[in-house]
Amino acid sequence: MTTKNTYILAIESSCDDTAAAVLCNEQVSSNKIATQKIHEQYGGVVPELASRAHEQNIVPVVQAALNEAGVSLQQIDAIAFTKGPGLLGSLMVGASFAKSLSLGLQIPLIAVNHMQGHLLAHFIKDASSCQPNFPFLGLTISGGHTQIVIVRDYFDMELIGQTIDDAIGEAFDKTAKNLGLTYPGGPLIDKYAKNGNPKAFKLPKPKVKDLDFSFSGFKTAVMYLIRKETAKNPNFIAENLEDLCASVQYTLCQILLDKVKKAVKQTGITSIALGGGVSANSEIRDVFTKAQSRFGWQVALPKFSYTTDNAAMIGIAGYYKFLKKDFSDLSVKAQSRIHF
Ligand code: KG4
Ligand code: ZN
């Protein structure tokens, strides 16, 4: 007997990427992203421009995802979309599109929490997948969030630590901006850090209680260092770019590692899964990989294509909700803030 495949069309539009994916059960048939270049010239995401670009991009991106998957709209069993957290205007474009399609095709609508999506991306089945075992500690590090979460089951997640101000991605991006690098600066810091000395500049590690994080003091400290040194030597940045990037990256990485060590001690959970755009960072990946032999942890790193915002992660979360028949009605609202 053959069981019928389930096709989920997933839409992600929480920030500045318009993304659509088609999943066949737990496998990704297509995963398309239209990255909005318009924000580069502003050095950060401009919400109003993001909403407009989503509106322009969403139909072609969905069409491209269906074409690549070789699946027609009539074959789709359910539409999953990001309900939040994120920029409200951006979320509303994806939510409205998903609702219309669900209504037009008369198929279920599934609302997905973006942060759960980042962690559930680990359960996408492909040749290289290595899935964490429950319970595990999820470390979600992105441009909007920095969280430590106990993941007991697919949708049983408890937030046990988070940033009290900036997200770690902002620390990367704003520091990069101060170094004259383009937005988003995280990947560029990663690139320049490869040839730099991580101990060249001693940068402060914030003292924050429990499992919480803070990055605004760090960002300010780097800014003052740059100002002070540039006043003495106008070529300071150019002459020290690689060392500055390496020192910034090293310190941010140590801040994460220290908190995860504390979380492991507190919870007794030694299985860790990283998620979010910043988990693409090569040093973070390296340090957490080495932590397996250093501390006896099991560490799951997401595939690069599932680190930054994408719709495949929304699709896998949607698939598990489909199995539970956890559907939303058409009155469901996008929410800029949302908890687990
Ligand atoms: O998850 P994501 O795509 O969007 C949010 O939900 O925020 O994360 C974007 C963030 C940006 O801050 C970007 O600079 C950062 O991920 N990022 C990196 C790297 N690749 C992306 N940060 C450091 N190193 C990288 N290689
Ligand atoms: Zn994200």
Side-chain angles (χ1 to χ4, degrees), residues 10-23:
I11 290 157
E12 152 63 33
S13 69
S14 65
C15 191
D16 60 339
D17 293 310
T18 319
V22 175
L23 268 77

PDB file of all heavy atoms in Angstrom, residues 10-23:
ATOM      1  N   ALA A  10       4.935  26.798   1.792  1.00  0.00           N
ATOM      2  CA  ALA A  10       5.265  27.629   2.954  1.00  0.00           C
ATOM      3  C   ALA A  10       5.725  29.012   2.516  1.00  0.00           C
ATOM      4  O   ALA A  10       6.429  29.149   1.514  1.00  0.00           O
ATOM      5  CB  ALA A  10       6.364  26.959   3.771  1.00  0.00           C
ATOM      6  N   ILE A  11       5.326  30.007   3.302  1.00  0.00           N
ATOM      7  CA  ILE A  11       5.667  31.397   2.987  1.00  0.00           C
ATOM      8  C   ILE A  11       6.296  32.050   4.216  1.00  0.00           C
ATOM      9  O   ILE A  11       5.782  31.926   5.326  1.00  0.00           O
ATOM     10  CB  ILE A  11       4.394  32.152   2.555  1.00  0.00           C
ATOM     11  CG1 ILE A  11       3.956  31.621   1.181  1.00  0.00           C
ATOM     12  CG2 ILE A  11       4.618  33.657   2.497  1.00  0.00           C
ATOM     13  CD1 ILE A  11       2.527  31.839   0.880  1.00  0.00           C
ATOM     14  N   GLU A  12       7.408  32.739   3.988  1.00  0.00           N
ATOM     15  CA  GLU A  12       8.090  33.452   5.082  1.00  0.00           C
ATOM     16  C   GLU A  12       8.330  34.892   4.632  1.00  0.00           C
ATOM     17  O   GLU A  12       8.920  35.131   3.576  1.00  0.00           O
ATOM     18  CB  GLU A  12       9.415  32.723   5.392  1.00  0.00           C
ATOM     19  CG  GLU A  12      10.540  33.568   5.962  1.00  0.00           C
ATOM     20  CD  GLU A  12      10.271  34.201   7.311  1.00  0.00           C
ATOM     21  OE1 GLU A  12       9.558  33.610   8.143  1.00  0.00           O
ATOM     22  OE2 GLU A  12      10.771  35.319   7.531  1.00  0.00           O
ATOM     23  N   SER A  13       7.851  35.839   5.446  1.00  0.00           N
ATOM     24  CA  SER A  13       8.033  37.255   5.078  1.00  0.00           C
ATOM     25  C   SER A  13       8.179  38.116   6.335  1.00  0.00           C
ATOM     26  O   SER A  13       7.643  39.207   6.391  1.00  0.00           O
ATOM     27  CB  SER A  13       6.824  37.738   4.261  1.00  0.00           C
ATOM     28  OG  SER A  13       5.675  37.803   5.088  1.00  0.00           O
ATOM     29  N   SER A  14       8.918  37.600   7.343  1.00  0.00           N
ATOM     30  CA  SER A  14       8.930  38.308   8.628  1.00  0.00           C
ATOM     31  C   SER A  14       9.848  39.528   8.646  1.00  0.00           C
ATOM     32  O   SER A  14       9.695  40.410   9.478  1.00  0.00           O
ATOM     33  CB  SER A  14       9.337  37.351   9.750  1.00  0.00           C
ATOM     34  OG  SER A  14      10.661  36.929   9.545  1.00  0.00           O
ATOM     35  N   CYS A  15      10.834  39.563   7.732  1.00  0.00           N
ATOM     36  CA  CYS A  15      11.775  40.680   7.783  1.00  0.00           C
ATOM     37  C   CYS A  15      12.048  41.184   6.360  1.00  0.00           C
ATOM     38  O   CYS A  15      11.153  41.754   5.740  1.00  0.00           O
ATOM     39  CB  CYS A  15      13.042  40.230   8.522  1.00  0.00           C
ATOM     40  SG  CYS A  15      14.130  41.599   8.934  1.00  0.00           S
ATOM     41  N   ASP A  16      13.237  40.964   5.844  1.00  0.00           N
ATOM     42  CA  ASP A  16      13.549  41.523   4.525  1.00  0.00           C
ATOM     43  C   ASP A  16      13.798  40.460   3.464  1.00  0.00           C
ATOM     44  O   ASP A  16      14.346  40.766   2.407  1.00  0.00           O
ATOM     45  CB  ASP A  16      14.747  42.471   4.616  1.00  0.00           C
ATOM     46  CG  ASP A  16      15.988  41.770   5.131  1.00  0.00           C
ATOM     47  OD1 ASP A  16      15.849  40.725   5.778  1.00  0.00           O
ATOM     48  OD2 ASP A  16      17.097  42.265   4.893  1.00  0.00           O
ATOM     49  N   ASP A  17      13.417  39.219   3.731  1.00  0.00           N
ATOM     50  CA  ASP A  17      13.518  38.184   2.701  1.00  0.00           C
ATOM     51  C   ASP A  17      12.114  37.687   2.381  1.00  0.00           C
ATOM     52  O   ASP A  17      11.370  37.338   3.300  1.00  0.00           O
ATOM     53  CB  ASP A  17      14.338  36.977   3.209  1.00  0.00           C
ATOM     54  CG  ASP A  17      15.796  37.337   3.426  1.00  0.00           C
ATOM     55  OD1 ASP A  17      16.400  37.908   2.516  1.00  0.00           O
ATOM     56  OD2 ASP A  17      16.307  37.036   4.519  1.00  0.00           O
ATOM     57  N   THR A  18      11.772  37.675   1.095  1.00  0.00           N
ATOM     58  CA  THR A  18      10.486  37.088   0.706  1.00  0.00           C
ATOM     59  C   THR A  18      10.801  35.671   0.278  1.00  0.00           C
ATOM     60  O   THR A  18      11.562  35.467  -0.680  1.00  0.00           O
ATOM     61  CB  THR A  18       9.857  37.848  -0.481  1.00  0.00           C
ATOM     62  OG1 THR A  18      10.046  39.253  -0.289  1.00  0.00           O
ATOM     63  CG2 THR A  18       8.382  37.530  -0.614  1.00  0.00           C
ATOM     64  N   ALA A  19      10.250  34.687   0.987  1.00  0.00           N
ATOM     65  CA  ALA A  19      10.643  33.310   0.718  1.00  0.00           C
ATOM     66  C   ALA A  19       9.439  32.398   0.587  1.00  0.00           C
ATOM     67  O   ALA A  19       8.415  32.592   1.251  1.00  0.00           O
ATOM     68  CB  ALA A  19      11.553  32.811   1.838  1.00  0.00           C
ATOM     69  N   ALA A  20       9.579  31.404  -0.291  1.00  0.00           N
ATOM     70  CA  ALA A  20       8.535  30.394  -0.461  1.00  0.00           C
ATOM     71  C   ALA A  20       9.212  29.045  -0.662  1.00  0.00           C
ATOM     72  O   ALA A  20      10.297  28.965  -1.258  1.00  0.00           O
ATOM     73  CB  ALA A  20       7.657  30.723  -1.669  1.00  0.00           C
ATOM     74  N   ALA A  21       8.588  27.999  -0.139  1.00  0.00           N
ATOM     75  CA  ALA A  21       9.142  26.651  -0.284  1.00  0.00           C
ATOM     76  C   ALA A  21       8.006  25.661  -0.467  1.00  0.00           C
ATOM     77  O   ALA A  21       6.887  25.913  -0.018  1.00  0.00           O
ATOM     78  CB  ALA A  21       9.962  26.276   0.954  1.00  0.00           C
ATOM     79  N   VAL A  22       8.331  24.545  -1.105  1.00  0.00           N
ATOM     80  CA  VAL A  22       7.377  23.438  -1.179  1.00  0.00           C
ATOM     81  C   VAL A  22       8.032  22.246  -0.494  1.00  0.00           C
ATOM     82  O   VAL A  22       9.192  21.927  -0.770  1.00  0.00           O
ATOM     83  CB  VAL A  22       7.024  23.085  -2.642  1.00  0.00           C
ATOM     84  CG1 VAL A  22       6.124  21.844  -2.689  1.00  0.00           C
ATOM     85  CG2 VAL A  22       6.341  24.266  -3.324  1.00  0.00           C
ATOM     86  N   LEU A  23       7.301  21.650   0.439  1.00  0.00           N
ATOM     87  CA  LEU A  23       7.801  20.436   1.093  1.00  0.00           C
ATOM     88  C   LEU A  23       6.926  19.265   0.707  1.00  0.00           C
ATOM     89  O   LEU A  23       5.696  19.410   0.609  1.00  0.00           O
ATOM     90  CB  LEU A  23       7.799  20.584   2.626  1.00  0.00           C
ATOM     91  CG  LEU A  23       9.129  21.101   3.190  1.00  0.00           C
ATOM     92  CD1 LEU A  23       9.254  22.589   2.953  1.00  0.00           C
ATOM     93  CD2 LEU A  23       9.256  20.766   4.662  1.00  0.00           C
TER      94      LEU A  23
END
